[in-house]
Amino acid sequence: MSDNTGSRATPDHADLPLPDYDHLPLGSLQHRVRTLAQADLAQLLSYEEAHGQRLPVIEMMRARLRELENGAEPSGGSPLAPAPEHAPPPTGGSPVSPETTGPPMNPPSHGAPENPAQPRPTG
């Protein structure tokens, strides 16, 4: 898709410098865009203006672009680093198995006021 929004072509989602862009909350997005160069941020802003139209995101990106235009440098780090809002993949299997479970437990039907008598199965 390559509509023209102003003088910039709208990038495809697959071409964005942040592959998980659509799933990042604003707080994480603010940190991620600080790692981007001016051209990458302009590309992301063009995509947001064409698709999301989220005013807080657009304002934040425009402010960051002004900072870059005035001599700010992208911060260190990778825009592809793991995001804290996503749980890391599991590192191993579960230690629970049928061999490690305890015996079935039936609470007594008497003796505790918070555990009234339970009906007994017949048959």
Side-chain angles (χ1 to χ4, degrees), residues 4 10 16 18 27 47 56-57 67 107 114 123:
N4 282 335
T10 303
L16 294 178
L18 299 175
Y47 180 84
V57 173
E67 291 173 358
E114 58 275 349

Side-chain angles (χ1 to χ4, degrees), residues 8-93:
R8 294 180 293 215
T10 303
D12 287 331
H13 184 271
D15 298 330
L16 294 178
L18 299 175
D20 56 348
Y21 172 75
D22 290 332
H23 303 288
L24 291 173
L26 181 60
S28 292
L29 191 55
Q30 286 174 315
H31 294 291
R32 293 283 182 101
V33 300
R34 295 189 67 76
T35 65
L36 299 176
Q38 190 171 348
D40 289 337
L41 184 54
Q43 181 184 28
L44 211 55
L45 177 59
S46 177
Y47 180 84
E48 179 64 32
E49 289 171 337
H51 295 94
Q53 294 284 335
R54 297 173 291 176
L55 187 58
V57 173
I58 291 172
E59 288 176 344
M60 178 267 302
M61 287 185 185
R62 287 180 179 163
R64 180 61 182 159
L65 270 176
R66 283 191 300 274
E67 291 173 358
L68 291 170
E69 290 166 357
N70 290 325
E73 294 289 325
S75 67
S78 169
L80 306 176
E85 62 273 356
H86 299 292
T91 57

